[in-house]
Amino acid sequence: MFPLSIERIPDVDEALRPAIRDFIAREMPPIDAARRSRSWMGFDADFSRKLGQAGFLGLTLPRRYGGGERGYFARFVVVEELLSAGAPISAHWIADRQSGPQIARFGTETQRQRYLPALCRGEAFFCIGMSEPDSGSDLASVRTRAIPDGDGYRLTGRKIWTTNAHHAHYMVALVRTSGGPDDRQAGLSQVIIDLTLPGITVRPLLDLAGDEHFNEVTFDDVRLGPDSLLGQEGQGWAQVNAELALERSGPERLLSSIVLLDALIAWQRSLAQPDPVAVAEIGAMHARLIVLRSMSIGLTAMVERGENPLIPSAVLKDIGTHGEQALAEIVTRLVGADPTRSAPPDVLGALAYISQMSPTFSLRGGTREILRGMIARGLGLR
Ligand SMILES: Cc1cc2nc3c(=O)[nH]c(=O)nc-3n(C[C@H](O)[C@H](O)[C@H](O)COP(=O)(O)OP(=O)(O)OC[C@H]3O[C@@H](n4cnc5c(N)ncnc54)[C@H](O)[C@@H]3O)c2cc1C
C-alpha cells in the first residue's frame, strides 16, 4: 500500500532551494512568530504576486499556460522553504496546490487559458467548495445543486468552512448536477464559480484564534455560464478524489507547527544550560519529522509518476497531524514546568496560536476518523 522504495528529491529541484531562500530573505514582510505560525492561513496578496513574478508559482503547470513545467518535486522544495519560514502564503495556496493542477488536468482549453496564467502570476485566488452544513465527512451527500439551464446551470445551495472564500476570485465546488443525496457519488460534478456573480453571499466565520479565514458561502439561484463545468458531468467524485491526494500528500501536513519547533530550539540554544527534557523532546520530534518527510517525498514521487496515492496520503496526514498537535502539548508542558525560566515572546506567541488551532489540523482536509477508515479499507479490513 505504501511506497517502500526510498526516494530523494532530484538534484535539479533541490537546486531551487537557495533561490527561494534568497527570495524569502528579501521579500518576506517582518512578522512575529505568532503571525509566522499562521503561514498557510496567513493572507498577503502582494507576497503571492511577488512569488508569481519570481516564477515560484505554478511550478507543476505547463509553460504554455505560464507555469514552470518543473513538476511536483520543485514545488515540494518551494513549499518546504515557505512553510519553514512561516511565510504568509494562503492567498495563492489552494490555487497553486490543487485548483491549478485540477484545471490543467480536467479543464477545457478555454478554461486553462483563462485561469492558469493568472494563477501562475499570483493574481487569481481560488477556494475549495466541498463541505456543506450537513455534508462534511459524508461528502457524497452534498446537496448544493446545479440544474442544467440552457447552455449553463442554475446553482442553489450552501457551502461551509470555505477557507479564503472572502478573498478568493473563484471557487472549485463539488455539486449535484443530477439525482438526489441517496444517489451518493453518482450525479456529482465539479464547477468553477466566479465569486462575483449575482446571488452569491460570502459570510466570514471567526475561528478560535479570532481570525476570519473560513466562510459560509450561499448560492441563491446563481446563473453559471456554459464554461463553468470542470471535467465531465457526473465525474465529480473521481475528480475530487484526485484533488484530495494532492491536498493530503504535501509537506504542509507535517509543518503546521514548525515555527513553534524552531522557536523552542532557539530558546534552548540561548540558555547557558538547556533543559534536558526539552532537548530530548526536540530530538524525538526531529527524528519523527525526518521519517515523515521521507514519506512525503515518496508520495511526491508517486504523484510525479501520475499515480493517485489517496490511501498512503491518508496515512501521512494522520501521522503528520498527530505530530503537529503533540508539539503544542509538549511545549505547553515545558513552558509550565519551570516558570522561573520564562519563555521568550516568540515561543509564547507561536504556542498560543498553535494551541488554539491544533485541533483543526486533524479536521481540515478530512478528519482523522475518516482517514483511518480509508486506511482500513486499503488494507482490505472494511
Ligand atoms: C481549518 C479548517 C479549514 C477548512 N477548509 C475547508 C475548505 O476550504 N473547503 C471545504 O470544503 N471544507 C473545509 N473544511 C471543512 C472540513 O473538511 C470538514 O470540517 C471535515 O471534512 C469534517 O466535516 P464536518 O465538519 O461536517 O464534521 P462531521 O462530518 O460532522 O464529523 C464530526 C465528527 O464525527 C466524525 N465522523 C463523521 N463520520 C464518521 C464516520 N463515518 N466514522 C467515524 N467518525 C466519523 C468525524 O471524524 C468528526 O470527528 C475546513 C475545516 C477546517 C477545520
Side-chain angles (χ1 to χ4, degrees):
M1 176 166 83
F2 204 81
L4 290 177
S5 59
I6 302 293
E7 306 279 352
R8 54 189 292 275
I9 299 175
D11 292 345
V12 59
D13 298 313
E14 193 55 55
L16 259 180
R17 211 175 283 280
I20 181 66
R21 283 190 179 165
D22 280 355
F23 176 91
I24 293 168
R26 215 175 43 246
E27 301 291 354
M28 186 169 146
I31 46 177
D32 62 21
R35 292 222 79 77
R36 277 187 278 121
S37 299
R38 280 158 171 84
S39 199
W40 56 294
M41 310 285 262
F43 185 87
D44 184 336
D46 278 348
F47 186 72
S48 292
R49 262 189 290 273
K50 285 180 188 165
L51 270 170
Q53 281 160 8
F56 289 120
L57 299 187
L59 285 165
T60 62
L61 299 174
R63 199 161 278 143
R64 65 183 180 282
Y65 303 120
E69 212 165 298
R70 294 282 307 257
Y72 286 90
F73 275 116
R75 182 172 182 275
F76 187 101
V77 169
V78 167
V79 163
E80 206 170 40
E81 291 300 322
L82 289 168
L83 292 174
S84 302
I89 50 179
S90 81
H92 68 266
W93 190 244
I94 287 167
D96 185 62
R97 179 179 67 188
Q98 55 198 94
S99 313
Q102 280 294 92
I103 293 169
R105 182 166 172 199
F106 297 110
T108 61
E109 190 52 32
T110 311
Q111 288 170 333
R112 291 179 189 150
Q113 288 182 15
R114 180 179 310 152
Y115 301 112
L116 298 183
L119 176 162
C120 293
R121 291 193 303 270
E123 292 172 4
F125 305 146
F126 280 71
C127 60
I128 307 164
M130 294 192 196
S131 308
E132 298 185 2
D134 296 315
S135 307
S137 302
D138 186 16
L139 194 56
S141 68
V142 294
R143 288 161 199 268
T144 296
R145 184 172 277 280
I147 300 171
D149 176 51
D151 58 357
Y153 296 90
R154 297 208 85 94
L155 180 71
T156 301
R158 197 147 50 111
K159 295 288 174 183
I160 199 163
W161 315 127
T162 322
T163 299
N164 268 347
H166 56 325
H167 294 304
H169 305 101
Y170 306 103
M171 174 191 284
V172 174
L174 181 69
V175 299
R176 185 159 287 289
T177 43
S178 67
D182 292 342
D183 291 307
R184 312 289 300 158
Q185 290 93 335
L188 297 179
S189 306
Q190 283 194 299
V191 287
I192 306 175
I193 304 167
D194 176 345
L195 291 173
T196 62
L197 286 173
I200 300 180
T201 310
V202 178
R203 186 170 71 89
L205 305 167
L206 272 190
D207 68 21
L208 202 59
D211 294 339
E212 284 180 351
H213 88 267
F214 49 25
N215 301 266
E216 181 187 59
V217 185
T218 310
F219 307 104
D220 183 9
D221 199 23
V222 177
R223 164 89 182 128
L224 298 182
D227 205 29
S228 53
L229 181 70
L230 176 62
Q232 284 180 37
E233 201 174 284
Q235 289 302 306
W237 188 255
Q239 291 176 205
V240 153
N241 276 309
E243 184 175 342
L244 284 172
L246 296 179
E247 186 173 345
R248 292 172 182 154
S249 58
E252 64 264 42
R253 300 304 177 182
L254 323 174
L255 298 179
S256 304
S257 305
I258 197 71
V259 171
L260 177 59
L261 182 59
D262 279 346
L264 173 66
I265 294 171
W267 175 29
Q268 294 302 315
R269 277 195 182 135
S270 73
L271 300 173
Q273 215 113 70
D275 173 352
V277 178
V279 170
E281 294 287 12
I282 289 167
M285 192 55 67
H286 201 71
R288 175 198 285 265
L289 272 174
I290 287 172
V291 174
L292 290 173
R293 180 173 187 264
S294 247
M295 287 170 72
S296 186
I297 291 172
L299 293 179
T300 303
M302 291 177 79
V303 172
E304 191 72 37
R305 290 195 295 266
E307 297 166 32
N308 179 2
L310 189 65
I311 292 177
S313 44
V315 176
L316 179 73
K317 181 175 180 286
D318 183 18
I319 310 177
T321 52
H322 183 79
E324 294 175 333
Q325 291 171 330
L327 184 69
E329 290 167 25
I330 291 166
V331 180
T332 302
R333 276 203 306 277
L334 292 172
V335 167
D338 184 358
T340 58
R341 293 196 199 197
S342 54
D346 264 6
V347 172
L348 295 177
L351 179 60
Y353 178 74
I354 297 293
S355 301
Q356 284 167 323
M357 291 307 284
S358 68
T360 70
F361 298 168
S362 52
L363 294 175
R364 61 190 185 190
T367 70
R368 172 161 293 143
E369 292 73 22
I370 293 304
L371 298 181
R372 290 186 178 173
M374 290 169 58
I375 295 164
R377 199 171 304 119
L379 291 169
L381 298 171
R382 291 179 78 203

